[in-house]
Amino acid sequence: MLQAGAINAALAVIAGAFGAHGLQGRVSDRLLSAFETGAQYHFYHALGLILIALAMAQFSGSRWLSRAAIMMQVGIVLFSGSLYVLALTGITKLGVVTPFGGLALIVAWAMVAFAATQAGQRDK
């Protein structure tokens, strides 16, 4: 999981740099903003994957953390991926995918919270 977080962080930095240097002046401000939002959320959730990896090392065997990591990766692909493709292609129909990615990210964080609650109850 740490590897997935690190790879996603590197990809998010690459995407951010590409958006800032490669897309400026080539796409509309609206599409550039969408791409930048995708890169920001990609990086935030790459850090989330790293956090989950560290928590998994602390609380080994947590199925909820494993599920949260999978859900977070799905959310990154759907949310950030759809914004990247939207900005690069201008296909606005892809906007319908983005909220599902956002929902996956919300569910992932809820799973992390649930795992933390369960871990806290075991420590009592």
Side-chain angles (χ1 to χ4, degrees):
M1 199 48 51
L2 184 58
Q3 182 182 29
I7 290 169
N8 272 285
L11 291 173
V13 171
I14 291 166
F18 176 71
H21 302 290
L23 291 182
Q24 200 162 33
R26 294 179 186 225
V27 299
S28 71
D29 287 344
R30 184 180 70 77
L31 291 177
L32 182 59
S33 178
F35 192 93
E36 289 171 345
T37 298
Q40 286 176 339
Y41 274 74
H42 191 169
F43 193 76
Y44 298 152
H45 291 90
L47 293 176
L49 286 171
I50 292 169
L51 175 75
I52 291 170
L54 296 174
M56 288 173 78
Q58 178 78 23
F59 308 108
S60 62
S62 172
R63 292 180 305 162
W64 287 103
L65 287 174
S66 297
R67 292 173 182 164
I70 292 167
M71 188 62 68
M72 194 165 288
Q73 185 63 60
V74 167
I76 289 170
V77 170
L78 293 178
F79 185 85
S80 294
S82 66
L83 290 176
Y84 293 154
V85 174
L86 167 70
L88 293 172
T89 66
I91 300 171
T92 57
K93 292 180 183 179
L94 290 170
V96 300
V97 174
T98 309
F100 292 106
L103 181 60
L105 295 171
I106 293 166
V107 169
W109 285 113
M111 289 175 165
V112 171
F114 186 75
T117 301
Q118 280 193 324
Q121 290 173 352
R122 277 185 285 197
D123 290 342
K124 290 182 180 180

